[in-house]
Amino acid sequence: MLPVDSTVSLADKYAIAGLGLTRQGRVFDRDYIGFAVEAVALALADAGLPKNAIDGLLVNPGVSWRQPVMAAAVLQRSLGLSNLGLSLSLNAGGATAGAMVQQACAAIEMGLATTVACVFSDAPLRPPRPGELRESSGTAFSGAGGWDRAYGYFGINARYAMVARRHMAVYGTTQDQLATVAITQREWARSNPFAEMTHKPLTREEYHASRWVVEPFHLFDCCLVSNGGACVIVTSAERAKDLRRPPVAVLGFGQGHPGSDPVETLSTGARQAGEVAMRMARLSVADVDVAQLYDCYTFTVLISLEDYGFCAKGEAGAFVESGATARGGRLPVNTGGGQLSSFYMWGMTPLAEAIIQLRRDGGARQVDNVEVALVSGNGGVLATHSCLLLGHGEVRT
């Protein structure tokens, strides 16, 4: 691991100045390009910037993009942007949003751009047809074949389930503890106007009665599938302070790519990514006021809490059962409902909620006195990780 110069502070160098979120969920009136264009327009309006202020464009294409390698070029033409100094299509799965913010800061530092739009959009859902089954939860790709497939081990759900099952065997993590994650996040979502699952609380009985996807995951252990778009505008802290909305400071960031089998190690890249980000920001986990964790499954929340050091290995189940991650808890987690109950915009879901909390825009779900937010991103099967530490105003150092 490369050392990070602790004499360098990012707090007065880079900031997120704009946030754009389209309607999320079962929205069928546009395609992935339409969602991306709208998200950029909303982020520019949020920041109070004209379109020609953008001189950098980073695009994370969702699964529905037909030319994912050329996503940035396609979106540039759709937006009518010219003379960009930075234009890239990036994909590290759910870790991409954090990586895009890191790339944007690096580009600004090197003078490649001054104002970078980081964009994600997707439109995998289709309007329902008579007699057609609803889409399954979870991303549908297969990394296993042969005898594995013959015995039912295929697709992303099964691969995460294998890690979760071993965690349960080694540490005694229980089904009820997974349920607590789902129930707690549904309660947060009920105060989020962007959330898809706001209509009623999720009871423990409903959780256990819901259909199995693959044991130990019930339906409510798995993230939503959403149509929509999201964009953040990254610029210099100096420029951001004169724009329309309160800037969100980029305090630190890191990545972690363990390259090991998570079934064997029961670990993720969060440890490495978090340590680098904390050292860069000159903070510790004790300084984090809210954590917005990538939650493709309830189990991902538990293992991320452990690897960031919010609790000891094997103790995340008890940690969430204590109420620590709920409203009024010592570490509110996924305060918008996360991908389990809010919407699924890959890594943009936790990033957007962190910005909302740091700007004090959370309304009924706003956490008091938020100064530091941790944002995690996770790609593949716990294979790649990004971490952002974001701040509001005068943060603790």
Side-chain angles (χ1 to χ4, degrees), residues 189-375:
R190 295 183 67 216
S191 300
N192 182 359
F194 281 97
E196 296 180 45
M197 307 296 282
T198 60
H199 52 287
K200 64 176 182 176
L202 174 63
T203 68
R204 201 164 295 272
E205 293 73 24
E206 287 174 309
Y207 167 89
H208 285 292
S210 66
R211 66 176 173 86
W212 289 108
V213 174
V214 54
E215 294 187 36
F217 295 149
H218 283 279
L219 176 66
F220 296 119
D221 288 301
C222 304
C223 67
L224 299 164
V225 179
S226 307
N227 290 354
C231 175
V232 297
I233 305 290
V234 181
T235 189
S236 69
E238 182 66 26
R239 186 181 192 195
K241 69 182 183 182
D242 295 325
L243 297 179
R244 179 170 293 163
R245 299 302 317 280
V248 171
V250 179
L251 306 178
F253 46 73
Q255 294 185 28
H257 311 280
S260 55
D261 183 351
V263 178
E264 295 180 1
T265 63
L266 292 178
S267 63
T268 72
R271 180 192 59 79
Q272 180 181 354
E275 287 176 357
V276 172
M278 293 290 177
R279 191 160 63 249
M280 191 181 294
R282 302 181 218 165
L283 297 171
S284 72
V285 291
D287 296 306
V288 175
D289 299 307
V290 295
Q292 310 298 345
L293 303 179
Y294 196 90
D295 58 325
C296 45
Y297 302 92
T298 51
F299 171 70
T300 317
V301 174
L302 298 184
I303 198 169
S304 298
L305 286 168
E306 294 171 357
D307 285 356
Y308 275 116
F310 292 113
C311 59
K313 202 66 185 172
E315 295 183 3
F319 186 79
V320 298
E321 281 188 320
S322 75
T325 63
R327 193 183 301 272
R330 59 190 173 99
L331 181 71
V333 170
N334 294 345
T335 53
Q339 297 160 321
L340 295 171
S341 280
S342 180
F343 53 83
Y344 183 54
M345 288 286 102
W346 295 21
M348 282 292 188
T349 300
L351 176 55
E353 180 62 18
I355 294 167
I356 289 167
Q357 287 289 328
L358 288 164
R359 285 176 163 184
R360 315 295 196 254
D361 287 345
R365 71 185 190 280
Q366 179 65 46
V367 178
D368 293 336
N369 303 316
V370 176
E371 296 180 21
V372 176
L374 181 145
V375 179

Side-chain angles (χ1 to χ4, degrees), residues 153-164:
Y153 182 63
F154 61 89
I156 196 75
N157 296 323
R159 298 175 72 194
Y160 269 90
M162 187 71 78
V163 189

